[in-house]
Amino acid sequence: MTTKQGGGIEVRPVAGYIGAEITGVDLADGLDEAQVAVVRAAVLRWKVVFFRGQRLDHEGQVRFARRFGEPVVLRRRGSASPAGHPEIETTADRLELGGRYGMEHDEWLRRRRHIPLRGWHCDHGARVDPPAATILRAETVPPYGGDTTWANLAAAYAGLSAPVRAFADGLRAEHRLGVGYQSRPGDDAYVRHLLDHQIATVHPLVRVHPETGERVLFVNGYYVEHIEDVSRAESRLLLELLLEQATRPEYTVRFHWEPGSVAFWDNRATIHLAPSDNAHLGHPRTMHRVMLAGDVPAGVDGRPSEALVGSAPGRW
């Protein structure tokens, strides 16, 4: 069902619980207040929205992002990111990471995703103030493969049985950088890097969305170390249960990128899975990411997240 909104914009849901495609707007021309309101409402309702055939450049992407929040400026980026636009990180930077630590990129990626659910994550979830949203723009994509998948964490929470929801409401979990990495035998330069640049936070397992008031199952495979106040064995099984719930197919949407595609998602209410089916194809995939600054999550009881090491609100 397509719904026509203010400013000539049309919003068409593409899956039952998450995802909508927005048409009728040229992001390079800028958005008026009515159009901004429609896009913001669509992101909050559908968690991720897609625009196709856009002609944004770096400056236009940052300008678009600023209509919805304050872009994050990362202290460290790779050589592929545009020097004149510190708000933008280019995904091609990640191809450099393995080489910094004595590994081919494929090995580095395998060690980060040695368990299937490990790849699911929100952006910078180990921080005490994870980004509120992410805007990703496709420049160069393979002719096939390279899709991204998102999951709706509010729908996943609502889909739990009432006793499990009540149990999860009172739990907190440690999120830590590098949890999903499987170390190499012997000396591992990447492990040393993780220890030297550690980021860890205790987040509520269920956070209350600051704009919608929804309860969100704040869990992901890449950052969650363990659930507090339960045994390691219990934590492992609980996390497996909750991750499988969060990534059930009915709570997900998959998007096939084209040059000029833009995805805008609520990083507070989703996790996503970057593709792993395109590296062997030999085709470049260049994407440009802008993240919007977020707040410190709060649980059902109102208790905020607690930084353990490595991050403070607003300091990147």
Side-chain angles (χ1 to χ4, degrees):
M1 178 183 70
T2 300
T3 58
K4 196 154 189 175
Q5 308 286 336
I9 293 180
E10 292 187 349
V11 179
R12 182 178 66 85
V14 295
Y17 285 97
I18 178 173
E21 187 166 326
I22 295 181
T23 58
V25 62
D26 185 338
L27 302 183
D29 285 344
L31 278 66
D32 61 30
E33 292 302 322
Q35 292 171 327
V36 168
V38 171
V39 173
R40 186 185 300 277
V43 171
L44 293 175
R45 169 64 179 86
W46 293 105
K47 312 310 181 195
V48 57
V49 299
F50 309 111
F51 306 84
R52 291 196 182 274
Q54 299 297 318
R55 50 188 181 88
L56 284 177
D57 56 13
H58 295 325
E59 183 177 347
Q61 183 176 2
V62 174
R63 185 170 59 247
F64 171 71
R66 287 191 183 280
R67 299 303 305 274
F68 299 92
E70 183 62 31
V72 167
V73 175
L74 297 173
R75 285 176 291 179
R76 293 184 295 272
R77 300 182 302 157
S79 63
S81 291
H85 297 276
E87 307 91 345
I88 295 177
E89 182 182 26
T90 296
T91 58
D93 287 341
R94 297 171 195 170
L95 298 175
E96 304 174 1
L97 291 177
R100 296 181 190 173
Y101 309 108
M103 289 177 275
E104 295 292 333
H105 178 72
D106 286 351
E107 180 188 356
W108 181 76
L109 194 61
R110 284 197 309 273
R111 292 188 176 280
R112 291 173 64 234
R113 293 191 187 179
H114 62 284
I115 297 173
L117 291 176
R118 283 295 193 197
W120 287 94
H121 67 286
C122 64
D123 286 334
H124 291 266
R127 289 185 52 85
V128 71
D129 58 344
T134 298
I135 298 166
L136 188 63
R137 169 173 59 97
E139 177 182 330
T140 306
V141 298
Y144 54 92
D147 299 354
T148 304
T149 307
W150 289 262
N152 182 339
L153 298 180
Y157 172 83
L160 291 168
S161 64
V164 176
R165 289 199 305 268
F167 177 54
D169 285 348
L171 295 175
R172 294 168 71 83
E174 180 182 325
H175 296 231
R176 181 162 54 83
L177 187 65
V179 166
Y181 178 71
Q182 185 180 56
S183 62
R184 305 177 96 191
D187 186 43
D188 189 317
Y190 188 58
V191 169
R192 295 201 309 272
H193 166 80
L194 291 172
L195 292 174
D196 291 342
H197 300 86
Q198 191 53 260
I199 298 174
T201 299
V202 174
H203 288 303
L205 194 62
V206 178
R207 72 175 293 186
V208 178
H209 195 286
E211 294 188 68
T212 67
E214 294 172 297
R215 295 186 182 186
V216 175
L217 186 60
F218 198 44
V219 66
N220 68 78
Y222 187 62
Y223 291 114
V224 180
E225 160 64 10
H226 71 276
I227 297 174
E228 291 195 322
D229 301 323
V230 303
S231 71
R232 283 282 176 176
E234 291 167 334
S235 175
R236 177 177 58 81
L237 293 172
L238 286 169
L239 287 172
E240 184 178 348
L241 166 72
L242 296 175
L243 274 170
E244 287 184 352
Q245 169 72 5
T247 58
R248 281 170 53 173
E250 59 264 42
Y251 300 139
T252 67
V253 64
R254 181 168 176 154
F255 183 66
H256 179 67
W257 296 94
E258 300 168 345
S261 296
V262 175
F264 181 1
W265 66 90
D266 189 336
N267 195 55
R268 302 162 294 190
T270 61
I271 51 178
H272 60 280
L273 183 66
S276 57
D277 66 342
N278 61 305
H280 66 289
L281 301 177
H283 297 288
R285 184 178 185 272
T286 303
M287 321 284 282
H288 304 289
R289 179 176 73 169
V290 176
M291 299 179 293
L292 301 180
D295 57 356
V296 176
V300 174
D301 59 0
R303 185 179 170 194
S305 300
E306 177 187 359
L308 298 178
V309 64
S311 74
R315 297 182 182 178
W316 286 83

